[in-house]
Every structure is written in structure tokens, then in C-alpha cells.
């Protein structure tokens, strides 16, 4: 397996996405699970974490055969197997906390959206998480004024947190902040 890990590291260094590395290395092998663990190892995901993420996937390995490595890789990627979790700085942690409070004010969140939000927060993709929350509908039992006020604060914090020169993230945050301003004004008028 060490050879597979080294090949995975080299492929990742070349710029391939983890799912593409998995597909490339899984082609022609019967140990699809072992290749998944090797890619996780190459990404720096601790083995116990990778094993935990794979828990309950036993049927996956028996259900696919040769030539279906791409589908297996996509399923593993969608499940977050290759997500590299990050430790955020103090401001990043504060932003995450505000987003969690906003979810509480939302009045509930769909399971798929919650999973996607969790992945984005765990991997430090805060602008993407913010954009996702801004698009989420406030439920009947939610508190729209509080929700939009919290997201307005998140937008301000994010704008200050973003590294200079990250124009893509700044654009995403700017669009989400503009929507927040509109929604916050509408929620205030509805009160």
C-alpha cells in the first residue's frame, strides 16, 4: 500500500483532484477500499478519521466491479471522504459560530443542505458556506429578522477575513451580502 500512497501523493502534487487520483489508482485493482485509504493517507487525513468516514460503506465495495472506479470515486467524494479538515483562526471560528446561530434562526435546515454546510465549514470554505446559507429559505418557524441580521454580520466578518487578492471569494461574498441587505430590509418591513 505504501507504493499506492506515494503514487497518490505524486498525483496530488501534479494538481489532480483527489477523486481523480482515486479513479486513476483504482483502475485495474480489486482493492477499491484500500485505494481510498491510500488517497486519504496521501492527503494527510489520519487513518482513524478515514476509517471512521468509511464506516458503513461495506456494501459499496461489493456492489461495483471493474470499470466502475469513476462512479465509486464520485460517491466517495460526495460523501466527503477526501475532505481535508482545517483549523481556523479566531475570526474564522467566530464566523462559523455566527453561521451556526443563523442556522438556529432559520427554523430548520434540510439534511442535504446541512451536510453540505458542514463540509464547507469543516474544510474552511467559509465564503461557500455563507453563499449556501444566504440561499436557504427561512422556515415558517424561523426568525427572519434575526436570521438576516446574523448573516449580515457574517458577511461583514467574512469581508474582513478574506485574504487580499481572492477575487472569486470576494465576489461570492459581495453578492451574498447584497442579497442579505435586501432580505434584512424586507424582514424589517414585515415586522
Amino acid at each position: 500500500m505504501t507504493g499506492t500512497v506515494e503514487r497518490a501523493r505524486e498525483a496530488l502534487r501534479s494538481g489532480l483532484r483527489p477523486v481523480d487520483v482515486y479513479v486513476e489508482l483504482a483502475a485495474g485493482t480489486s482493492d477499491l477500499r484500500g485505494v481510498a485509504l491510500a488517497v486519504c493517507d496521501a492527503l494527510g487525513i489520519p487513518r482513524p478519521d478515514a476509517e471512521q468516514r468509511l464506516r458503513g460503506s461495506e456494501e459499496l465495495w461489493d456492489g461495483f466491479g471493474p470499470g466502475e472506479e469513476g462512479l465509486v470515486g464520485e460517491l466517495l467524494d460526495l460523501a466527503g471522504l477526501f475532505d481535508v479538515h482545517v483549523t481556523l483562526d479566531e475570526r474564522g471560528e467566530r464566523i462559523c459560530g455566527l453561521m451556526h446561530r443563523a442556522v438556529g434562526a432559520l427554523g430548520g435546515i434540510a439534511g442535504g443542505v446541512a451536510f453540505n454546510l458542514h463540509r464547507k465549514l469543516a474544510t474552511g470554505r467559509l465564503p461557500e458556506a455563507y453563499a449556501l446559507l444566504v440561499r436557504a429559505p427561512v422556515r415558517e418557524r424561523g426568525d427572519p429578522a434575526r436570521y438576516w441580521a446574523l448573516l449580515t454580520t457574517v458577511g461583514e466578518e467574512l469581508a474582513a477575513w478574506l485574504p487580499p487578492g481572492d477575487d472569486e471569494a470576494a465576489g461570492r461574498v459581495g453578492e451574498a451580502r447584497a442579497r442579505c441587505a435586501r432580505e434584512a430590509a424586507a424582514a424589517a418591513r414585515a415586522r
Side-chain angles (χ1 to χ4, degrees):
M1 191 56 60
T2 303
T4 306
V5 173
E6 285 307 315
R7 289 184 7 236
R9 282 190 185 120
E10 187 161 321
L12 289 167
R13 280 191 296 268
S14 78
L16 282 178
R17 297 178 316 141
V19 65
D20 296 328
V21 172
Y22 174 81
V23 171
E24 183 178 297
L25 296 176
T29 184
S30 60
D31 187 11
L32 298 177
R33 186 177 191 280
V35 172
L37 290 170
V39 173
C40 288
D41 188 11
L43 287 165
I45 298 168
R47 181 66 174 243
D49 289 353
E51 292 279 358
Q52 174 64 33
R53 294 179 193 187
L54 285 173
R55 198 159 279 124
S57 67
E58 291 75 22
E59 292 176 11
L60 177 67
W61 311 114
D62 296 334
F64 293 96
E68 297 181 305
E69 299 86 4
L71 182 55
V72 173
E74 290 297 326
L75 289 171
L76 294 173
D77 189 48
L78 284 172
L81 178 65
F82 305 125
D83 288 355
V84 177
H85 294 190
V86 299
T87 301
L88 295 168
D89 61 14
E90 187 177 324
R91 178 171 257 158
E93 287 294 335
R94 187 170 53 249
I95 292 167
C96 283
L98 287 166
M99 284 197 229
H100 285 294
R101 287 176 48 205
V103 168
L106 189 57
I109 191 167
V113 175
F115 179 72
N116 200 6
L117 179 65
H118 169 75
R119 286 184 69 192
K120 290 179 186 323
L121 293 176
T123 57
R125 296 177 297 173
L126 302 187
E128 292 176 37
Y130 179 58
L132 179 69
L133 276 179
V134 167
R135 291 189 309 268
V138 179
R139 303 265 174 115
E140 198 172 297
R141 64 183 175 270
D143 182 347
R146 183 169 172 257
Y147 179 68
W148 293 112
L150 283 164
L151 287 185
T152 298
T153 303
V154 169
E156 293 164 0
E157 290 283 333
L158 265 176
W161 181 76
L162 289 174
D166 191 344
D167 296 335
E168 182 181 335
R172 181 178 290 123
V173 170
E175 288 174 22
R177 287 180 73 190
R179 177 162 183 197
C180 267
R182 290 190 305 272
E183 296 289 349
R189 283 191 303 272
R191 278 192 147 181

